């Protein structure tokens, strides 16, 4: 390999390294940011929002009933009906609707929510034609953006993330918006609960988890998908910002939506390479959700793309291609957000001779012809990006474990598990293994023989929203 190129790649790899001491220090910092968010009255850029959710218990698996769930959190809107059988199992019917790009930005809250209302109605007609509309069906609304939640069924949008940008929606109550648009159609559905996808994931995994068999407490509900975030159950005495009047009767604790995508927005400790800075500047929320921008699916492909463009601009890569095309590069390489993390998942595991499989993937997905040397570089950078992402992902998980391990009695011998959902943790090769590897390096259970495992919460946010609706 050309020595200048080799040097440049080595330099990137070096800047993306995450060592044990960094993980330990960042976990301490994460805990401080949790504390600050749990205490402060007002949200601030310096610490995580730590949003109380008004969910005051964790399912036991015995919950029963039929509920609807609607889920907005990324590029799709999902509507489902969930039948909780009361024995850790459930039945689910669901439909997925792609959110038209022109409703995600440069549009209005009403246009988006009118679309969502129509899909709830369409779902009922398709899957529950038998429903006579006598009683309102209860719906749990999974809305996976930062919300200032003031009751189980009330919350105003704090800010958009993950590419959504409809300014007139900020500060509006999203339950009201959805309810109004459902009512306009005369559909007999009542939105009774609002939940973040991480809350849904925590609840749904806790419901499915048969502790008698797994011997493990579900400690965190985490999403590693388009975005990343987590929720956990906190004792009320550790949430000083909750006023006595806001605490539901009889409650001893509450699920908190951390919005950990916003961990360390002031970059006290997180690595910040020039590529991270380019990406932040390209987003609709610069300066916010900086942890998410180093980890989640929406950004992994873009990180690779900006690295490759940098190496091209420094004249180390794609020079012949550029000349042969008369001074241009394929648009999926040249334009932001065109390289998806799914492509990285193929490049990551390619072990074919001369990386022939990557050659095809790059041709098919990016229309990018490559030589062997370029493919070696691309694979190295891909692995560098995903390794840092998976290792950073361990920080919040370890921090929560170290925080909640004291919630259990001394003689409790249960292990701990994380309930996870999202395309990256579910499908990206090796991601789960690396997260656990890094959690072990941090070692939040030092001195104990308890184990930590990671479980995928299938249909997490749908079932979780139904469980939230069952609490109403
Ligand atoms: C973003 C959202 C958060 C959500 C996460 C995962 O970080 O702000 O609410 O939970 O994505 O979908």
């Amino acid at each position: 390999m050309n020595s200048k190129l080799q040097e440049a790649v080595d330099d990137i790899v070096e800047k993306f390294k995450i060592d044990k001491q960094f993980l330990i220090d960042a976990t301490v910092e994460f805990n401080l940011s949790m504390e600050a968010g749990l205490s402060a009255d007002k949200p601030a850029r310096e610490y995580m929002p730590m949003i109380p959710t008004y969910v005051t218990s964790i399912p036991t698996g015995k919950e029963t009933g039929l509920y609807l769930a609607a889920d907005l959190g990324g590029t799709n809107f999902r509507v489902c009906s969930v039948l909780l059988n009361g024995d850790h199992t459930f039945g689910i019917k669901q439909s997925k609707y792609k959110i038209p790009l022109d409703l995600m930005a440069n549009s209005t809250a009403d246009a988006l929510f009118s679309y969502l209302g129509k899909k709830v109605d369409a779902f009922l007609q398709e899957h529950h034609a038998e429903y006579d509309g006598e009683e309102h069906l209860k719906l749990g609304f999974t809305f996976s953006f930062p919300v200032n939640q003031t009751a189980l069924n009330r919350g105003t949008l704090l800010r958009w993330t993950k590419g959504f940008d409809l300014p007139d929606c900020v500060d509006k109550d999203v339950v009201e918006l959805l309810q109004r648009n459902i009512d306009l159609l005369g559909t007999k559905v009542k939105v009774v609960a609002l939940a973040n996808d991480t809350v849904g994931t925590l609840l749904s995994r806790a419901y499915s988890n048969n502790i008698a068999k797994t011997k493990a407490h579900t400690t965190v509900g985490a999403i590693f998908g388009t975005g990343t975030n987590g929720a956990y159950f906190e004792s009320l005495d550790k949430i000083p910002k909750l006023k006595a009047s806001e605490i539901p009767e009889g409650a001893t604790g509450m699920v908190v939506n951390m919005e950990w995508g916003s961990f360390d927005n002031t970059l006290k400790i997180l690595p910040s390479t020039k590529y991270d800075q380019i990406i932040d500047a390209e987003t609709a929320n610069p300066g916010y959700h900086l942890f998410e921008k180093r980890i989640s699916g929406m950004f992994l492909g873009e990180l690779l793309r900006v690295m490759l463009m940098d190496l091209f601009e420094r004249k180390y890569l794609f020079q012949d291609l550029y000349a042969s095309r008369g001074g241009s590069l394929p648009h999926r390489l040249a334009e932001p957000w065109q390289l998806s993390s799914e492509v990285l998942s193929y490049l990551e595991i390619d072990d074919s001779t001369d990386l022939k499989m990557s050659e095809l993937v790059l041709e098919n997905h990016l229309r990018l012809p490559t030589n062997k040397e370029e493919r070696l570089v691309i694979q190295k950078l891909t692995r560098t990006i995903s390794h840092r992402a998976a290792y950073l992902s361990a920080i919040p998980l370890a921090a929560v474990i170290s925080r909640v391990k004291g919630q259990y009695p001394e003689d409790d011998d249960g292990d701990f598990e994380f309930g996870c959902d999202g395309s990256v943790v579910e499908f990206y090769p090796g991601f789960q293994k690396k997260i656990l590897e890094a959690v072990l390096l941090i070692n939040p259970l030092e001195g104990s023989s308890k184990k930590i495992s990671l479980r995928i919460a299938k249909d997490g946010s749908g079932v979780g929203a139904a469980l939230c609706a069952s609490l109403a």
Side-chain angles (χ1 to χ4, degrees):
M1 194 182 290
N2 162 328
S3 68
K4 282 258 188 283
L5 173 58
Q6 181 76 60
E7 228 172 83
V9 171
D10 288 348
D11 182 49
I12 298 176
V13 172
E14 189 55 37
K15 295 208 164 82
F16 269 65
K17 269 202 181 128
I18 298 287
D19 66 17
K20 179 172 165 170
Q21 194 54 46
F22 167 81
L23 286 171
I24 293 171
D25 295 345
T27 304
V28 171
E29 197 60 43
F30 191 91
N31 241 309
L32 293 174
S33 179
M34 288 175 86
E35 299 262 332
L38 289 167
S39 311
D41 282 336
K42 290 214 172 82
R45 213 179 132 236
E46 285 69 33
Y47 42 82
M48 290 182 287
M50 304 299 288
I51 303 166
T53 63
Y54 297 85
V55 172
T56 54
S57 60
I58 296 285
T60 58
K62 300 217 167 67
E63 295 70 13
T64 55
L66 176 72
Y67 301 94
L68 291 181
D71 178 357
L72 179 72
T75 44
N76 292 308
F77 181 54
R78 259 185 350 132
V79 184
C80 39
S81 58
V82 179
L83 182 63
L84 302 171
N85 296 321
D87 59 358
H88 304 285
T89 71
F90 55 85
I92 187 163
K93 289 180 181 168
Q94 56 180 319
S95 293
K96 216 157 96 172
Y97 309 95
K98 195 154 182 51
I99 307 283
L101 277 181
D102 55 0
L103 291 182
M104 287 173 67
N106 304 315
S107 182
T108 61
D110 256 328
L112 175 66
F113 279 83
S114 149
Y115 175 84
L116 305 186
K118 284 184 189 133
K119 295 306 174 199
V120 171
D121 187 59
F123 172 84
L124 275 183
Q125 293 187 20
E126 191 188 334
H127 293 283
H128 290 275
E130 81 289 351
Y131 178 59
D132 59 12
E134 283 243 314
E135 261 178 59
H136 277 74
L137 279 173
K138 288 183 173 180
L139 180 141
F141 182 23
T142 306
F143 182 75
S144 308
F145 301 93
V147 157
N148 177 23
Q149 196 155 1
T150 47
L152 188 61
N153 65 346
R154 268 206 310 271
T156 52
L157 176 65
L158 284 169
R159 58 175 173 272
W160 288 109
T161 51
K162 297 178 286 193
F164 277 76
D165 191 18
L166 305 168
D168 76 323
C169 195
V170 174
D171 290 334
K172 293 228 173 88
D173 186 327
V174 291
V175 172
E176 228 170 77
L177 276 168
L178 182 60
Q179 187 70 61
R180 179 154 28 103
N181 282 287
I182 288 175
D183 291 347
L184 280 176
L185 301 168
T187 315
K188 299 280 193 214
V189 166
K190 179 125 181 76
V191 187
V192 294
L194 174 66
N196 187 259
D197 51 357
T198 57
V199 178
T201 303
L202 175 66
L203 267 51
S204 108
R205 176 57 207 161
Y207 172 85
S208 303
N209 178 18
N210 187 345
I211 298 189
K213 285 198 183 135
T214 61
K215 307 260 187 287
H217 302 291
T218 310
T219 322
V220 184
I223 301 282
F224 299 100
T226 308
T228 182
N229 184 16
Y232 75 111
F233 190 79
E234 183 60 281
S235 315
L236 285 179
D237 59 334
K238 303 239 170 70
I239 320 180
K241 70 178 174 186
L242 260 186
K243 299 190 186 64
S245 61
E246 295 169 334
I247 299 174
E249 231 183 276
T252 57
M254 195 178 276
V255 173
V256 174
N257 162 19
M258 292 182 257
E259 288 295 333
W260 72 39
S262 261
F263 168 51
D264 199 20
N265 283 335
T266 52
L267 296 177
K268 263 166 98 178
I269 191 153
L270 284 179
S272 185
T273 67
K274 69 174 171 185
Y275 308 112
D276 297 305
Q277 288 154 22
I278 295 173
I279 288 191
D280 186 38
E282 282 171 359
T283 59
N285 57 347
Y288 282 91
H289 261 42
L290 297 188
F291 188 56
E292 175 163 282
K293 288 171 191 169
R294 284 150 177 76
I295 291 183
S296 73
M298 181 162 169
F299 305 97
L300 298 181
E302 185 60 7
L303 272 169
L304 177 61
R305 194 194 70 80
V306 295
M307 282 177 184
L308 294 178
M309 285 307 290
D310 177 51
L311 295 176
F312 160 72
E313 277 151 18
R314 289 157 72 190
K315 306 215 171 343
Y316 301 149
L317 280 183
F318 310 135
Q319 297 304 307
D320 294 346
L321 175 68
Y322 184 72
S324 73
R325 291 171 53 102
S328 79
L329 286 178
H331 82 277
R332 288 188 197 168
L333 185 64
E335 285 167 26
W337 311 114
Q338 301 293 314
L339 207 172
S340 82
S341 57
E342 188 189 339
V343 172
L344 273 63
S345 68
Y346 304 132
L347 304 172
E348 173 93 25
I349 45 166
D350 186 6
D351 59 359
S352 60
T353 315
D354 296 341
L355 299 178
K356 284 285 180 203
M357 196 188 86
S358 296
E359 182 171 22
L360 280 177
V361 168
L362 292 162
E363 275 280 2
N364 284 342
H365 289 265
L366 303 183
R367 306 278 176 269
L368 178 69
T370 46
N371 60 39
K372 182 180 161 193
E373 179 180 62
E374 287 163 343
R375 290 194 293 278
L376 281 170
V377 168
I378 292 174
Q379 187 175 61
K380 183 136 205 179
L381 297 178
T382 298
R383 291 179 172 172
T384 301
I385 293 167
S386 66
H387 181 86
R388 186 184 75 164
Y391 266 46
L392 291 178
S393 301
I395 294 165
L397 298 173
V400 175
I401 290 268
S402 63
R403 208 178 154 79
V404 302
K405 60 184 180 194
Q407 278 177 11
Y408 299 92
E410 289 240 313
D411 58 352
D412 179 287
D413 57 357
D415 293 329
F416 295 105
E417 61 163 46
F418 309 127
C420 296
D421 199 1
S423 49
V424 175
V425 71
E426 198 173 355
F427 302 122
Y428 198 95
F431 209 83
Q432 288 181 29
K433 196 172 138 250
K434 287 214 170 113
I435 292 182
L436 283 173
E437 197 173 276
V439 168
L440 287 183
L441 285 176
I442 303 170
N443 198 8
L445 292 175
E446 202 175 352
S448 137
S449 58
K450 294 187 182 201
K451 293 194 238 9
I452 298 176
S453 58
L454 191 155
R455 302 270 182 163
I456 296 297
K458 270 274 168 220
D459 299 314
S461 48
V463 177
L467 285 158
C468 278
S470 81
L471 297 171

